[in-house]
Amino acid sequence: QKEVEQNSGPLSVPEGAIASLNCTYSDRGSQSFFWYRQYSGKSPELIMFIYSNGDKEDGRFTAQLNKASQYVSLLIRDSQPSDSATYLCAVIETGANNLFFGTGTRLTVIP
Amino acid sequence: ETGVTQTPRHLVMGMTNKKSLKCEQHLGHNAMYWYKQSAKKPLELMFVYNFKEQTENNSVPSRFSPECPNSSHLFLHLHTLQPEDSALYLCASSQDLTEGNTIYFGEGSWLTVV
């Protein structure tokens, strides 16, 4: 099984700051990348997807993809306490009909 | 509320019991999945069904037995489980992932084996 790696954290940022979450993947041929948010005791929910190199913005969230470096990140601007959750990076690998997940990064936004 | 519904939400069972987890999706998707989530581990894919045919069995012990009677329903039959099988079991569904779609999870079933 190919690898998707994330820093497990915890990552703590003050309210209003930018939170930066990082993910690397091993399959160079991967084409589709996703960020899920998982609140404690809940199931993962999709918040962003990105397919092309560069940045993709959706409200306070920006996903960044660099296929040459096999790196995908999620920036959360103006972080709020309600953003406190575990963020899971997921990758669809070449020819696979399945998502491979990282272990997740626990984010805490301090009021 | 999601389009993927799982029951029961919580289950406590003994090691000699037989129980089943149920999943139903209302999204018109053709693929359904079982994932296992344990503390400090990545989400582990267990089974994948496409158009109710099993396409992946990720070396899962035979004490877990999936059943997919149609594209909208998925079961996970459990028997003679071990305490280390205690985890959150997540059902998910999707359209074809090779076309840029992604998977959507149900709320999960918390399983405790005593």
Side-chain angles (χ1 to χ4, degrees), chain A residues 5-11 21-22 85-87 102-107, chain B residues 40:
Chain A
E5 295 190 357
Q6 298 179 251
N7 289 328
S8 59
L11 173 65
L21 304 160
N22 304 317
T86 296
Y87 290 80
T103 53
T105 299
R106 172 71 189 165
L107 172 66
Chain B
K40 312 250 183 235

Side-chain angles (χ1 to χ4, degrees), chain B residues 12-83:
Chain B
V12 179
M13 60 185 290
M15 290 189 284
T16 58
N17 291 161
K18 288 185 180 182
K19 298 286 184 183
S20 295
L21 305 180
K22 178 183 176 182
C23 178
E24 182 175 1
Q25 59 99 359
H26 313 277
L27 300 169
H29 291 162
N30 51 270
M32 295 188 77
Y33 310 77
W34 280 116
Y35 280 87
K36 175 184 178 183
Q37 189 174 38
S38 305
K40 312 250 183 235
K41 286 186 171 183
L43 275 164
E44 301 172 54
L45 177 69
M46 300 177 73
F47 302 104
V48 181
Y49 280 82
N50 263 293
F51 293 104
K52 73 178 184 177
E53 297 295 324
Q54 188 178 123
T55 57
E56 190 143 351
N57 175 340
N58 218 22
S59 302
V60 180
S62 60
R63 58 186 183 270
F64 296 92
S65 174
E67 178 189 359
C68 188
N70 54 61
S71 295
S72 298
H73 293 86
L74 184 64
F75 296 89
L76 187 63
H77 303 301
L78 316 169
H79 63 99
T80 59
L81 296 191
Q82 304 298 311

Side-chain angles (χ1 to χ4, degrees), chain A residues 68-84:
Chain A
S69 300
Q70 295 175 236
Y71 175 91
V72 58
S73 65
L74 179 70
L75 300 178
I76 307 175
R77 290 182 301 280
D78 188 24
S79 296
Q80 301 298 308
S82 59
D83 295 325
S84 298

Side-chain angles (χ1 to χ4, degrees), chain A residues 1 32 34 36 38 41-44 46 51 88 92 95-99 101-103, chain B residues 33 35 37 42-43 45 50 58 88 90 96-97 100-107 110:
Chain A
Q1 179 170 323
S32 302
F34 305 87
Y36 285 78
Q38 186 172 23
K42 301 291 187 181
S43 62
L46 178 69
Y51 306 138
L88 300 168
I92 297 177
N97 196 34
N98 172 40
L99 257 61
F101 286 85
T103 53
Chain B
Y33 310 77
Y35 280 87
Q37 189 174 38
L43 275 164
L45 177 69
N50 263 293
N58 218 22
L88 176 65
L90 289 160
D96 188 348
L97 292 181
N101 297 300
T102 191
I103 68 173
Y104 295 89
F105 288 95
E107 292 294 323
W110 288 94

